[in-house]
Amino acid sequence: MPTITIEGQGARPDQIAVTPESGGGALDSAVLLKRVPGGNVNSNGPLTNIPQYRGLFGNRLGVQLNGISVQEVGPNAMDTRTSTVPKSLVRSIKVHRGIAPVSAGMETIGGAIEINSRRSEFSNNSTPKISGFANSGFSSVDTGRYFGGLMSLSNDTHRFHVGGNTEKGNDYRFKDNQKVRPSEYKRDVISVGYGLRPNEKHEISLDYDYKDTGNTGTPSLPMDIGYVRTHLGSFGYQGTLTNNLDVKFNGFFNRGDHLMSNNLLRPAPRPGGGNQRFRDATTTLESGGYNLHFIIPEFQNGHLLVGFDGDLAVNNSVISDPTNGNFFLNNFVNSTKERYSSFAEWNGEITKDLMLEVGFRYTYIHMNTDRVSTSMANVMMPVHNLQNRFNNSDRSKNDHLFDASAVLRYAASNNLNLEIGVARKTRAPSFQERFLWIPLESTGGLADGRVYVGDTSLRPEKSYQVELGANLYGGGAYFTPRAFYRYVNDFIQGLPTNDALTNMVAGGIQPGGPGPLQFSNIDAHLWGVDFETGYTITDYLRVDGILSFVRGKRTNGNDNLYRIAPVNGRLSLTYERSDWLASLTYVGAMKQDKVAAFNGEQETSGYSILNVYTQYRPSFSKKTEGLTIAAGVNNIIDTKYVDHLNGINRASNINLAMGQRIPNPGRNVFVTLRYDW
């Protein structure tokens, strides 16, 4: 199966790896999650796709890049964690289906995603070998193009690589050649790495990645990207200490600078019909961390993994007015989140055909932030009082999180595996949810058009989950259904506030708009089913499909959870020979009328589209063996449709009204070339 690969022996069962080649004309690597049962994305812009899994999104999902935790610079998640590496440099995106093991990381209440980028690899002999790849692509819907590649020099002891990618596109089009403005994008990436393997027992790696995102639209948010510049460096070691003890270590740092603007790619707004309000925002991130894991391959008929993880992130954000040098608003000042965690996980055989995976994790989290200030406090007494109230509050917070998971797998026959799992997972509030002291839309990318305030007294979320599943294979067919239920105590959700100060200030920031929401603790539950299935019709013809359903509600029944995908799925018919393939894919979703009233969420209609994809690998000579040519058409009949997880329009747009949900791209003809050597 070239589109979705299920890891075999040696990896955790039900870990689904999606390769970039399966994405067709998708630009951002996060969009590949739509090819995973239960996976989806909240789209706020061409490079701002927030991963979602079974109804939970944002920092409820643990995201790791090559084994290290990555953080976002922007308080509105414009630089989402899955956008760290462009699709052309991604080797695979792995999703732990269902209950993620505790070893997958800290705060994986909604699941765990691992992004593996393309790097150099050691060879099997001492003679240096040059290898690499180059690729490029073009898409018609936004006149987009990209060029990327990686070159490596390696032998059995050393490996070195340098790679990069540049991509650029214009505002994309939808039905009848209308455009979504602003949706242009620009991103450049450089990657350098070195590895040393002095013998078979020890390996050291050094890696550095630089990302520079230029002018990029985020029409679902109040500002667009001026730039995002990040430096990510890491040091890794893995080795064998004794015959029955392995060790793996990763240390990293991450520095990011970010400029947002409401007047760079769109006209500055006129709140209440008054004068234009010009706003820029500059943010910085400084973070670093480590993972130290010990593996005992043979322990009580299984293997034992013990680990220690930790990281630190410091965020700053200042809002200014480019037309008025005296205006400033410090909405986050040294907002710090420290995490220190340890875990133990055992995976082994209890009896013949019965496997158990069980793990426990403890995480200590300390959060704090400095005093805030704004020039508005000098002229607006409600803002002055709000500022003083926050500065005089207890802003130092400590959380103790306890996670546990257990998954039992039974091989009922050669063709049928059964699974039952239970878990308790936790998450501490984000710095936005705790420290957003003045009503703003700095919400981690909620994109509902509402202003929010935080609450320093928020409690961590605690999720209790049960999952039932089966894997059925035989006769050229496979069927892997999963059913799940999750109860979340102290789920963090925005609720209307009765605080007089907050309401007065919100009325000045967003005149005539809906009332502000305050991040609050509620109880919620989510449940659903998803499956992956397929059948080999002939030696060359097969059909594959996925279907996902999730429902999320408050437990008191008076509202639905925000931004939950409707029933959705895809069905592909693929004809494949040794050197070429062709595929026709149906993608569809039902209407979503179970929406969140507190967020003012709009209902959406269902849709159906068709995509076609073809790929050719010429093999008539050695010079062409590394060449791959691919082409396709997404949305063949140019249907105007709206994904429910798209944000609402916040920019003046000749084709879209303010508050209207952003439509998906229209017909897109794309071509890609790749050459490996």
Side-chain angles (χ1 to χ4, degrees):
M1 297 170 57
T3 55
I4 296 179
T5 303
I6 299 178
E7 296 290 311
Q9 293 294 326
R12 183 180 189 262
D14 302 318
Q15 187 182 81
I16 300 176
V18 187
T19 62
E21 290 79 9
S22 70
L27 168 68
D28 196 21
S29 56
V31 178
L32 299 176
L33 293 173
K34 291 187 174 183
R35 296 177 173 266
V36 173
N40 223 307
V41 292
N42 299 356
S43 180
N44 292 335
L47 301 181
T48 306
N49 292 288
I50 300 173
Q52 177 174 137
Y53 186 65
R54 291 180 172 177
L56 298 181
F57 55 87
N59 55 21
R60 291 187 174 98
L61 275 70
V63 178
Q64 291 192 343
L65 169 63
N66 299 318
I68 62 176
S69 298
V70 289
Q71 307 287 338
E72 295 153 344
V73 185
N76 242 330
M78 288 182 174
D79 59 320
T80 63
R81 293 171 292 168
T82 47
S83 72
T84 304
V85 181
K87 195 186 74 168
S88 68
L89 295 180
V90 169
R91 182 183 300 277
S92 68
I93 296 181
K94 295 183 179 180
V95 179
H96 291 280
R97 191 174 180 193
I99 295 173
V102 297
S103 59
M106 300 175 282
E107 298 188 279
T108 57
I109 188 172
I113 300 170
E114 180 183 342
I115 304 172
N116 296 300
S117 64
R118 298 187 184 274
R119 292 178 167 184
S120 53
E121 297 180 357
F122 293 105
S123 65
N124 295 323
N125 55 66
S126 59
T127 303
K129 176 184 177 182
I130 297 177
S131 61
F133 72 90
N135 56 18
S136 64
F138 172 80
S139 56
S140 66
V141 76
D142 56 5
T143 322
R145 56 275 190 199
Y146 73 86
F147 303 92
L150 182 142
M151 178 176 289
S152 67
L153 176 65
S154 62
N155 61 10
D156 57 355
T157 305
H158 303 275
R159 64 172 180 84
F160 171 78
H161 67 262
V162 57
N165 182 83
T166 181
E167 54 196 332
K168 186 176 183 180
N170 301 317
D171 296 329
Y172 74 79
R173 295 178 288 276
F174 61 101
K175 183 72 173 180
D176 297 329
N177 211 34
Q178 301 178 83
K179 290 186 177 181
V180 172
R181 296 188 175 97
S183 59
E184 62 185 85
Y185 60 89
K186 184 180 186 298
R187 178 170 58 180
D188 299 308
V189 172
I190 297 174
S191 178
V192 181
Y194 169 74
L196 171 65
R197 188 172 64 182
N199 53 55
E200 295 181 355
K201 293 186 176 182
H202 304 283
E203 182 179 326
I204 296 172
S205 62
L206 293 168
D207 291 278
Y208 169 75
D209 295 279
Y210 173 71
K211 179 182 70 173
D212 186 353
T213 302
N215 292 352
T216 299
T218 55
S220 301
L221 300 173
M223 293 182 173
D224 300 304
I225 298 173
Y227 61 76
V228 182
R229 301 178 184 128
T230 60
H231 305 265
L232 178 62
S234 65
F235 166 79
Y237 166 78
Q238 59 183 16
T240 299
L241 301 183
T242 69
N243 291 335
N244 197 34
L245 179 61
D246 299 330
V247 64
K248 186 174 183 179
F249 173 81
N250 280 309
F252 69 94
F253 76 89
N254 188 11
R255 162 75 193 196
D257 298 279
H258 181 24
L259 169 67
M260 299 168 281
S261 175
N262 74 346
N263 55 86
L264 180 67
L265 302 179
R266 67 180 80 180
R270 300 178 182 272
N275 296 327
Q276 283 185 290
R277 180 179 291 175
F278 295 86
R279 294 291 183 265
D280 290 343
T282 54
T283 66
T284 62
L285 165 72
E286 293 183 351
S287 69
Y290 63 87
N291 304 319
L292 177 61
H293 296 174
F294 297 94
I295 305 99
I296 302 177
E298 297 180 11
F299 184 86
Q300 299 295 319
N301 295 324
H303 71 265
L304 178 67
L305 177 60
V306 177
F308 304 90
D309 304 323
D311 58 30
L312 164 69
V314 181
N315 290 83
N316 285 275
S317 177
V318 180
I319 299 174
S320 60
D321 183 345
T323 66
N324 179 5
N326 295 321
F327 177 87
F328 70 91
L329 169 60
N330 293 311
N331 55 327
F332 297 110
V333 182
N334 291 328
S335 295
T336 303
K337 185 173 185 178
E338 301 175 65
R339 305 190 298 178
Y340 305 96
S341 185
S342 60
F343 71 90
E345 182 176 280
W346 179 83
N347 193 334
E349 187 178 56
I350 300 176
T351 63
K352 187 177 184 296
D353 299 326
L354 189 62
M355 303 290 293
L356 174 65
E357 176 187 276
V358 60
F360 302 91
R361 177 184 282 272
Y362 165 72
T363 304
Y364 167 72
I365 294 180
H366 174 70
M367 298 179 66
N368 204 349
T369 191
D370 288 349
R371 295 170 63 89
V372 297
S373 60
T374 175
S375 58
M376 293 189 295
N378 300 325
V379 294
M380 299 174 63
M381 186 56 64
V383 176
H384 174 82
N385 293 337
L386 203 62
Q387 170 187 289
N388 287 350
R389 186 173 70 182
F390 180 80
N391 287 337
N392 294 329
S393 66
D394 180 11
R395 304 184 303 278
S396 178
K397 299 298 175 180
N398 300 301
D399 296 309
H400 302 273
L401 309 183
F402 298 91
D403 290 2
S405 66
V407 180
L408 195 64
R409 300 183 178 93
Y410 174 59
S413 69
N414 292 333
N415 299 323
L416 176 63
N417 297 323
L418 302 175
E419 177 181 306
I420 181 171
V422 294
R424 181 191 195 266
K425 293 294 188 74
T426 53
R427 177 187 77 98
S430 66
F431 75 92
Q432 297 98 323
E433 292 165 339
R434 267 195 169 139
F435 299 140
L436 182 57
W437 63 276
I438 189 169
L440 292 175
E441 293 182 65
S442 300
T443 60
L446 289 181
D448 59 356
R450 308 291 293 266
V451 293
Y452 283 71
V453 290
D455 185 350
T456 57
S457 63
L458 281 175
R459 298 180 297 275
E461 296 178 337
K462 296 166 282 291
S463 167
Y464 303 89
Q465 182 178 353
V466 61
E467 173 143 347
L468 299 173
N471 297 330
L472 178 63
Y473 305 91
Y478 66 93
F479 182 51
T480 62
R482 295 289 186 276
F484 60 91
Y485 175 81
R486 179 196 300 271
Y487 173 82
V488 187
N489 179 241
D490 290 326
F491 186 85
I492 297 174
Q493 159 81 42
L495 299 180
T497 177
N498 294 320
D499 181 68
L501 278 179
T502 299
N503 282 301
M504 281 190 289
V505 173
I509 292 176
Q510 196 179 55
L517 300 178
Q518 182 170 31
F519 289 115
S520 308
N521 290 118
I522 64 171
D523 291 339
H525 54 170
L526 301 97
W527 65 94
V529 295
D530 50 57
F531 65 80
E532 181 182 13
T533 188
Y535 177 65
T536 301
I537 303 171
T538 71
D539 290 342
Y540 308 110
L541 186 65
R542 71 176 188 273
V543 60
D544 302 283
I546 63 172
L547 186 72
S548 304
F549 162 72
V550 62
R551 183 87 163 85
K553 294 188 65 176
R554 295 187 64 182
T555 55
N556 60 14
N558 67 355
D559 199 14
N560 301 292
L561 299 186
Y562 173 59
R563 226 166 180 177
I564 301 291
V567 177
N568 65 93
R570 62 178 57 227
L571 187 67
S572 296
L573 181 66
T574 303
Y575 184 84
E576 183 173 11
R577 305 289 296 207
S578 60
D579 54 358
W580 69 277
L581 68 83
S583 179
L584 179 67
T585 300
Y586 164 83
V587 180
M590 298 181 67
K591 69 176 183 179
Q592 180 59 289
D593 54 9
K594 306 295 191 298
V595 293
F598 285 152
N599 299 83
E601 190 177 18
Q602 304 168 9
E603 298 181 3
T604 51
S605 303
Y607 65 85
S608 298
I609 63 169
L610 288 175
N611 304 328
V612 63
Y613 175 76
T614 184
Q615 179 178 284
Y616 176 53
R617 295 188 180 97
S619 57
F620 45 80
S621 72
K622 288 187 177 181
K623 291 183 178 180
T624 62
E625 284 182 353
L627 180 63
T628 302
I629 305 170
V633 183
N634 290 336
N635 191 4
I636 295 174
I637 59 176
D638 200 26
T639 301
K640 181 181 179 181
Y641 71 104
V642 174
D643 194 307
H644 183 75
L645 299 185
N646 292 353
I648 62 172
N649 181 43
R650 298 297 318 284
S652 297
N653 194 315
I654 60 173
N655 299 315
L656 296 173
M658 293 285 285
Q660 181 179 347
R661 198 177 296 272
I662 303 291
N664 289 70
R667 182 187 297 113
N668 179 34
V669 180
F670 63 91
V671 179
T672 65
L673 294 174
R674 178 184 173 92
Y675 187 75
D676 296 85
W677 67 89

